Amino acid sequence: MGISFSEQEQQFLLSTNDLLYVFEITKNNYLKHVYFGKKTNDVVAFENTNVGDPWIKQDKEERFSMSGFSNEYGAFGIGDYREVAIKYTRNDGSRNNNLKFKSYKIVSNKTKLNELPSLDGNNELIVTLADKDVEVDLHYSVYEAENIIVRHVAIRNLGEKIILNTVNSFNLDLKGIHDVYSLSGWWGHERQIIKHNVNLSILNIDSKRGLSSHYQNPLLIIADKDTSEDKGLAIGLNLVYSGSFSFKAEHTIYDDFRVVGGINDFDFDYPLEKGKCFETPEVVISYSNDGLNKMSQQFHDVYRHYLINKNFVFKTRPIVANNWETTRFDFTEEKIFNLIDKAKKIGIDTFVLDDGWFGHRDNELSSLGDWYPHKARLPKGLKPIIDKCKQNGLKFGLWIEPEMISEDSDLYKAHPDWALTSPDGIINLHRHQLILNLTKPECFNYIKNIINSLLDNNDISYVKWDCNRYYSEYFADNLKNDEQASLFYRNMVATYKLMDEIVLSHPRILFEGCAAGGARFDPGVFKYFSQSWCSDNSDAYSRQFIQYGTSLSYPLSSFTGHISVCPNKQVGTITPFKTRCNMASLCSTGFEIDLTELTKEQEQLATNFVSRYKKISPLILSGDLYRIFNPFEDKLFAEIVVSKDKNKAFAVIANQKLDRKKNVNLKFKGLREDFNYFIEECNLVKSGMQLMNEGIKIYFKEDYDSYSFTLSKK
Ligand code: DGJ
């Protein structure tokens, strides 16, 4: 189990409960990928395809063509026509990257990346490849119980400067045509599950926008045609990176299926000086031969135990009231006080003051960078609001957007050169704002200090860290010519450093991530943000798709979903209040609605929701998720989350339009057949066997109707 090396076969073996992953040192010292799949004692190695392509002339060996070779880390320039994992240019312009096996070691501690977030772990195989003065370390860590392998690559330059043109975190070579799933979408409809069939073509799933983006997520799933939630192959590949990324999946005429992934090489060139090392982001690979659901559960477990901010990952999350959808920029101290009074009545834990509390920010046009209270709106600063929260037994949370600057701000007046713009005077605005150049130490330190003193001098227990625009500037006046084409990457690294120095230096504050909704929802931010706003679309119907897609690799507690007003402000849908409560129960939760406007009945439902959420919260934090109905295919949503000991569970089923489906049979999953469960909402006891095999009959009464079930072992 774990990691081993067979001297006799010259093979590296990585094994988990279900997976075997084998690669070997060939006679000519290349590293050959041999097997990745179901555990077996009978490994059948991939045949090298002997094609009519150029072969490498070697002294004593037979013909050896790289284009049909399953290279464990495919390199450019030696006859491989597929997408490659690495390409670098030497000082003389040559690009023959002939990486051969040099050495290996197996260690009991996993490497922590220097500049990027990475998982904890307790084993690692490091295989070093070398090409003259360039050395490439391939790192592999194994999480046996979870069927997960984590990989990254470090490139060391011992000779004259080289330029890294492509540095993927991995390539994975399989055989045959596969389906590939991506989480694609747009603002308000993030992470929709899209199925692609890669057949004699190349699929590129990427972001070029500097953030992982609303449009594509750094998750790619390789599956078979008939893979379902409970059956078949599902290999999930998730990058621990929040910037521009790409996954390429390629199927060739020789039936080779290669996937590469990592930092997007669209406008990426990174000079590596003598003696320097470059580390790629990690990729987390979850293997399941029992369908997508198991693949997801494995991701959830590994993220909760080895990546997500340790201070909060298993801590009960506060139920928040956020004023954004209620007031936007138009609030007074009095309005906020009224919201806090109502929040207390309903049992809410934390009030979060969103955008508009600083500088002279009355709309989107100004003040980012001026992180001191709005004089007209909050003449006595934040203190009266914080005091009001305290008097009501609530905690206080605050919205910030530290990576950004408005042209109309004191900060911009003092330091226009801190904003990323271009030397020819073309300024691309997005939401009227610019991005700060955090690679400039003076800018970095200013932002770090002003935000840290804001957090140190006010009693703040929750921060919503927003980021509302994409990158579009390809120039920074402090970087050398040949450093410009890695600016997006460098600013991402500086942003992680800023998070290190703000978030990690405030271990008692819970940080929530946000990026115009869900434009930076990826494992890279998990180290800092225990939860992230997964979409600006709070409509309970749209959330069926968003939350279902997001759960493919991200645990329920890592995404936030709030109850909001109807007609919904983003899409106009009208859903029952109880359905809004039910959908918002399957994540970290809160309210985005004017609490002072609730009807008596809604207020009662909200109060019930809060007290029920407090009861089920351990399940949301650490339970196993089972997806039952898929809104993309079944026109119905149903999920159940079950405690590890199977004693407790919580399920939600939600309909779409009533004319599509009125009666359904809900068969639960994940329970113990021999346990009896009391279902609170129905006041009845049924065995796990009955619930899973016979199910219970559901009658929907109106559009977007829903039901929830709280189960406990009798
Ligand atoms: C975008 C976020 O997604 C919203 O929730 C809100 O915080 C606004 N930004 C504020 O500008």
Side-chain angles (χ1 to χ4, degrees), residues 100 390 393 416 449 712:
K100 291 198 165 194
K390 279 190 186 156
N449 292 337
S712 48

Side-chain angles (χ1 to χ4, degrees), residues 578 655 658 661-662 699-703 705-707:
K578 77 164 180 184
N655 197 12
L658 191 59
K661 228 162 225 158
K662 286 188 179 139
Y699 301 100
F700 292 115
K701 299 190 193 79
E702 56 182 324
D703 284 352
D705 201 1
S706 71
Y707 293 91

Side-chain angles (χ1 to χ4, degrees), residues 336-364:
I336 300 295
F337 283 2
N338 292 339
L339 287 172
I340 294 170
D341 283 336
K342 248 319 167 27
K344 180 201 171 159
K345 218 170 151 214
I346 291 168
I348 291 167
D349 307 300
T350 299
F351 175 78
V352 179
L353 183 61
D354 211 281
D355 197 352
W357 62 268
F358 52 93
H360 59 280
R361 186 146 164 107
D362 298 321
N363 48 43
E364 293 176 359

Side-chain angles (χ1 to χ4, degrees), residues 174-181 195-198 220-228 231-237 257 259 288 291-292 295:
L174 303 173
K175 280 281 179 194
I177 299 171
H178 290 279
D179 278 350
V180 166
Y181 303 1
K195 224 186 234 189
H196 316 258
N197 183 259
V198 183
L220 198 85
I221 296 165
I222 304 167
D224 284 340
K225 231 183 172 29
D226 50 2
T227 293
S228 65
K231 285 200 191 81
L233 176 75
I235 305 171
L237 302 154
F257 187 90
V259 184
S288 160
L292 294 159
M295 173 207 75

Side-chain angles (χ1 to χ4, degrees), residues 324 329 354-355 361 399 431 464 466 468 514 516-517 533 536 592:
W324 176 246
F329 295 104
D354 211 281
D355 197 352
R361 186 146 164 107
W399 178 98
R431 214 200 190 209
K464 179 175 174 188
D466 209 342
N468 280 296
C514 180
W533 189 223
D536 268 341
E592 198 85 15

